[in-house]
Amino acid sequence: QDGTCNGLQHYAALARDYSGAFAVNLIPSPMPQDVYTAVSKVVDARVRKDAEQGVSEALKYLSRSGRVDRKLVKQTVMTSVYGVTNVGARQQIEARLEERGWDNEDEVYRVSSYLSKATLSSIGELFRNAEAVMRWLASCASAVASTGKPVEWRSPLGFPISQPYYETKLAPVDSSLQKFWVQKPSTVVAKRSQRTAFPPNYIHSLDSAHMMMTAMECKAQGVAFAGVHDCFWTHAATADAVGAILRDTFVQLHSRPLLEELVENMKQVAPGITLPPIPPKGQLDLRMVQKSPYFFS
């Protein structure tokens, strides 16, 4: 049983983001929702509106491709939860255009730049509360790193985590054959890396906790379990049991004040630090996950 873009599932639960939760199957639905299709529809509508207003990149894309489809945005949606940058998103969409026969470098660059911004903006529109949490996590990491300390916290299961990102210096080494450079580690934290890496790392600490909580409950109930990231296995006869367990443990995990606990962790790392306020949450009732057939499927 696989999660639906599991990182976004955790963001939607953290933020109690109802619209985002629906897109990633946290809410019961008669048919499975596909977040990539949902984003592609939002982007397509935006591109068509821009084309009506004469935006050249929108006109160029529609004249050659007709519509924004699922495949065009899928990689960017998948990696948005891991902090993909504007440059990374542009390169991803650039690759999709080249696969479709676009070969004019200037056109590819301009259209992919336009589409990548539209895609990232559309994800934020669909996951408005969740995006606010993502920005808040990055801001908290910046605040900690500004004190000269790495970001550290404990997973919901108490596992200590530290981001080992430090600045490096290049030192020249002369040999009889050539001159080369080696990296020398330092104790100066890499502030940019601390900021950009923290949101995905924090989400990974949640999905790993969810997997371990599921594994421990399966063991307690005598049910076979194996898992990698957001893909859980068991025997056919116990599939329904594991499905119920993983839903219950997800609700149990996100019923905790996770962001408040994170704030306390950070204040222990950097006493006296001032952190931005936790973003307001949406209206999602987490208990709906327990009745959602396509949450993990």
Side-chain angles (χ1 to χ4, degrees):
Q1 303 180 58
D2 290 329
T4 304
C5 206
N6 189 235
L8 285 174
Q9 288 182 318
H10 283 284
Y11 268 122
L14 276 174
R16 302 297 194 271
D17 189 324
Y18 190 92
S19 64
F22 182 78
V24 289
N25 294 307
L26 267 62
I27 295 172
S29 173
M31 295 291 290
Q33 301 302 307
D34 179 60
V35 65
Y36 310 117
T37 298
V39 172
S40 71
K41 288 180 178 179
V42 176
V43 178
D44 187 70
R46 179 169 299 191
V47 171
R48 292 183 185 282
K49 183 177 180 180
D50 286 348
E52 291 174 358
Q53 297 175 354
V55 176
S56 60
E57 291 82 5
L59 290 166
K60 174 63 68 175
Y61 179 78
L62 291 177
S63 68
R64 292 199 57 171
S65 297
R67 67 184 179 89
V68 176
D69 57 70
R70 180 182 189 273
K71 186 176 181 181
L72 184 76
V73 304
K74 180 178 180 181
Q75 188 179 13
T76 303
V77 175
M78 288 177 63
T79 54
S80 64
V81 70
Y82 304 120
V84 68
T85 62
N86 287 326
V87 172
R90 178 187 60 75
Q91 292 172 337
Q92 291 166 350
I93 292 179
E94 193 174 77
R96 302 292 82 75
L97 295 179
E98 291 172 347
E99 289 171 357
R100 300 174 186 195
W102 291 59
D103 54 8
N104 182 299
E105 289 187 10
D106 181 62
E107 279 188 359
V108 169
Y109 181 85
R110 287 190 297 105
V111 173
S112 62
S113 295
Y114 163 75
L115 289 172
S116 63
K117 292 175 183 177
T119 301
L120 292 174
S121 177
S122 296
I123 295 169
E125 182 179 326
L126 198 59
F127 291 84
R128 191 159 295 163
N129 294 96
E131 187 186 42
V133 169
M134 188 184 301
R135 292 196 304 268
W136 178 80
L137 291 172
S139 296
C140 288
S142 288
V144 173
S146 68
T147 69
K149 297 179 180 179
V151 179
E152 297 179 349
W153 72 102
R154 287 184 176 271
S155 82
L157 296 182
F159 189 83
I161 306 165
S162 179
Q163 293 194 147
Y165 309 128
Y166 295 89
E167 300 288 356
T168 57
K169 295 181 179 180
L170 293 177
V173 177
D174 291 304
S175 73
S176 59
L177 295 177
Q178 65 185 53
K179 180 178 182 178
F180 58 93
W181 299 78
V182 295
Q183 287 188 341
K184 294 180 63 177
S186 75
T187 57
V188 179
V189 297
K191 294 179 181 179
R192 186 173 186 278
S193 295
Q194 291 287 336
R195 174 186 173 88
T196 58
F198 179 59
N201 284 343
Y202 179 69
I203 294 300
H204 278 312
S205 76
L206 298 186
D207 65 47
S208 62
H210 177 228
M211 183 178 71
M212 287 302 300
M213 290 168 68
T214 301
M216 289 187 292
E217 184 59 28
C218 284
K219 182 178 180 182
Q221 295 189 25
V223 176
F225 174 85
V228 175
H229 188 40
D230 65 338
C231 186
F232 298 169
W233 294 277
T234 189
H235 300 299
T238 51
D240 288 345
V242 171
I245 290 170
L246 67 87
R247 285 164 174 77
D248 289 343
T249 53
F250 186 88
V251 172
Q252 179 186 346
L253 170 65
H254 282 283
S255 294
R256 291 175 54 170
L258 294 173
L259 298 183
E260 290 80 1
E261 291 174 4
L262 178 62
V263 168
E264 291 306 311
N265 286 174
M266 289 184 163
K267 288 182 176 180
Q268 290 173 5
V269 172
I273 191 174
T274 300
L275 297 173
I278 296 173
K281 296 181 179 180
Q283 301 301 313
L284 174 67
D285 182 351
L286 281 175
R287 293 171 297 181
M288 300 179 79
V289 172
Q290 294 165 314
K291 299 179 181 179
S292 178
Y294 302 110
F295 168 56
F296 267 62
S297 60

